[in-house]
Amino acid sequence: MVAQHLVPLPTSSGLVATLAGGMFVQAITWWPENGRPMSPYEIATQAGRLASTLITEADRVLG
């Protein structure tokens, strides 16, 4: 799903999409395992901001 929304970077071979997807899965796993320390909106917002940072940095480094 993540890969469908990213512009492929020439040297990434799907790495960025894989990392972003894994990050979302880990955030979803972390949230209940840690007693849901924030609202669903907050966890989604933070994960989205982190994914945005990953994508921006990947574009800078790999693009």
Side-chain angles (χ1 to χ4, degrees), residues 6-63:
L6 291 177
V7 174
L9 296 171
T11 59
S12 73
S13 299
L15 176 62
V16 177
T18 299
L19 291 173
M23 184 192 67
F24 284 121
V25 169
Q26 287 301 314
I28 292 166
T29 301
W30 172 88
W31 188 58
E33 286 179 350
N34 287 277
R36 294 179 176 90
M38 58 189 73
S39 72
Y41 176 81
E42 290 170 317
I43 188 71
T45 299
Q46 287 188 20
R49 286 180 180 165
L50 289 168
S52 178
T53 300
L54 167 69
I55 293 164
T56 299
E57 186 63 12
D59 187 46
R60 187 184 71 78
V61 172
L62 303 173

